[in-house]
Amino acid sequence: MAQKPGTMAQMRNGTSGGDKRQYETEVIILNQCRKLNGQIFIQRDYSKGLDVQFEAEYPARLTEKVPRDVWENTIVRINRIFADAEAITPQTIFETVLGCFTCYASYAITKSTYRRKLDELQEFLNRENREIYHHVGFHIRNPMERGLRVLEISLLSRQGETPRDDVDSPGGAIRTI
Amino acid sequence: MALMTQRLLDEEIAIDEETERSRDTERHETHVNQCEMSSSFSATSPSTSSAYQLEEHISAPRATPELPPSDPKRRKWQSHPGRNRFGCGGRLVCSRSHGAFVVTVILMIATLTVYFVFDAPFLWGYSPAIPIVAAVLSLIVITNFFATSFTDPGILPRVDNIEIIEMDRQQANGNGINDVAHLRPRFQDVVVNGEHVKMKYCTTCRLYRPPRCSHCAICDNCVLMFDHHCPWVGNCIGLRNYTYFYRFVFCLSILVIYLFASAVTHISLLAQEMPFGDVMRKTPGSAVVIVICFFTTWSIIGLACFHTYLLCADLTTNEDLKGLYRRKHRPTPPSSTPSTSAATNSSVGHSTKNPFYAGCFKSFFGRLFKSRFPSLLDARGYLDPHPTIEIRVPKKSEKSIENH
Ligand SMILES: [Zn+2]
Ligand SMILES: [Zn+2]
């Protein structure tokens, strides 16, 4: 892995065959993007209680890249997945009761509703990233990596692109104090 | 009897609070250098140092790239900075202080053994159902006990340097202040269901604790829905293991009463046939069971009632003992409120109403029957200091090739 400050991305030949020939995969080292460009943090929305929800407000740094309604669609879908995961349904009650009667052996075997919703979230994020956000240089990360406290959107920088607009030097991240 | 449990819990909390205060001043080095743990059941040893925020703030960005290329086999639990013990490759999580835990295990096993050796065979003669019920109850109690002890209580992982730096930068840009002290106020006000709730900044974990989250002084972690640290169980009680804990306490209170009643029945039946002295010589175990159950039963029943009340009122032990939502604790008069929050108006402060309370029935079942919250620790996940992502770009993209 090249760690030179100049190289932000490494090229790798696309390996997928068939119709995906015209694409290739580019590996981006996330930490370098983060240091150069910063990130967008979407904070938790506690206004309705402790259930996991994220603020639906449109982040200023998405302007001119992602239309407002596209972003709103994404964040509403994310919030709905979490709302479904936290809801009490006959299924979750059954899960709990079954767990009690089997001395929690069923917990070890089956996935919880929440877990399945998180898998759904990961799938959804992958699709949204691939179809919308990667094209305009964003990457929505799975909030599990930040302990469900914040939703992190990384700003990707590919080779040759100038980093962050509001800071002049690449060392901007360190400059703040 | 409620008083007794209250006192018991008070002690637990008092310890928590005291150590938290002393700990708040200390700071942890959050670097990945804590590689000492290699065996499958070893403990992290956090190296505390009282570095200034500022110092760490500067050194943080420099330190990150110098990290040694980490062994890809290392999992997240192996560098967990809190005082926890992990077992089974990160599947089991518990506190490092385990003195009382051992006492509980020995007491439970001893009582049950004595019961099944002395009382159960005799009662089997009357009705096999009696010992079978006892066995089933014991099984439920034991599984819930170990589930409470070894489940991650809802530990909030600490914040890494990159996020801190970026947050500070964004705040500094937004407010135009370059002072670290102003950058992170001690409290953040958040409105939950129309009530103001304060989110305190945790200097150890470097995050604003979400509402109802508290820092366990014994385990040195922020725990979601922190209830209390239970030394008898050897773990914090929080969001993820509260249901196990409640079932444990509830079933244990039934079990203790059941064992007590069984032993008393056994002795009184025998006493009809022979003098009391012979009874004692014949089943000394029954007397032991009676004594143990008699002395534990009050506190356990009290605890079960207390937690049933907490579930119905949608409170945590932590909140109840602090009296957060009680009127008499309505804080200091408006004149003496700290200047930062006085800017809005006097309604900011401790709310008198519990903003999380959604009705007795709903609270009770809500907390018991929600789907299991995932472990945020992701203890079995691999450490990845240099995460990469793959994106698909058009092959003939001039941008990415010509600029090379
Ligand atoms: Zn903390
Ligand atoms: Zn603890």
Side-chain angles (χ1 to χ4, degrees), chain A residues 68-126:
Chain A
R68 187 180 283 264
D69 56 323
V70 171
W71 163 252
E72 271 166 8
N73 179 42
T74 309
I75 193 76
V76 166
R77 284 285 297 277
I78 293 173
N79 281 342
R80 199 186 309 143
I81 290 173
F82 278 112
D84 288 348
E86 303 255 1
I88 301 163
T89 59
Q91 164 132 39
T92 63
I93 295 173
F94 173 72
E95 229 175 73
T96 313
V97 172
L98 185 72
C100 293
F101 281 117
T102 56
C103 295
Y104 305 117
S106 71
Y107 281 13
I109 301 162
T110 57
K111 272 186 177 180
S112 68
T113 312
Y114 213 121
R115 206 21 94 187
R116 265 182 273 118
K117 287 286 165 193
L118 284 178
D119 293 346
E120 187 189 323
L121 176 76
Q122 181 67 61
E123 222 168 84
F124 171 70
L125 288 181
N126 285 346

Side-chain angles (χ1 to χ4, degrees), chain B residues 16 84 95 153 216-221 223 226 228-230 235-237:
Chain B
D16 287 11
N84 289 96
S95 171
C216 175
I218 294 156
C219 311
D220 212 18
N221 292 308
V223 178
F226 182 72
H228 65 289
H229 181 97
C230 182
N235 204 349
C236 309
I237 311 298

Side-chain angles (χ1 to χ4, degrees), chain B residues 255-299:
Chain B
L255 179 69
V256 168
I257 295 168
Y258 192 88
L259 295 188
F260 183 76
S262 302
V264 168
T265 316
H266 183 192
I267 285 188
S268 53
L269 283 174
L270 281 184
Q272 289 171 351
E273 296 161 12
M274 54 183 88
F276 193 72
D278 290 348
V279 175
M280 281 296 110
R281 238 166 281 131
K282 192 159 181 257
T283 68
S286 300
V288 172
V289 170
I290 287 174
V291 168
I292 292 176
C293 290
F294 182 80
F295 283 108
T296 53
T297 210
W298 308 112
S299 55

Side-chain angles (χ1 to χ4, degrees), chain B residues 140-180:
Chain B
I140 295 173
V141 166
I142 288 169
T143 50
N144 277 304
F145 172 74
F146 284 112
T148 315
S149 296
F150 295 124
T151 306
D152 162 24
I155 296 170
L156 207 51
R158 296 184 187 181
V159 177
D160 63 8
N161 289 330
I162 283 183
E163 187 180 333
I164 295 288
I165 295 161
E166 178 63 16
M167 282 301 227
D168 285 354
R169 198 194 59 80
Q170 283 180 11
Q171 279 215 311
N173 276 10
N175 308 342
I177 31 172
N178 286 343
D179 183 7
V180 178

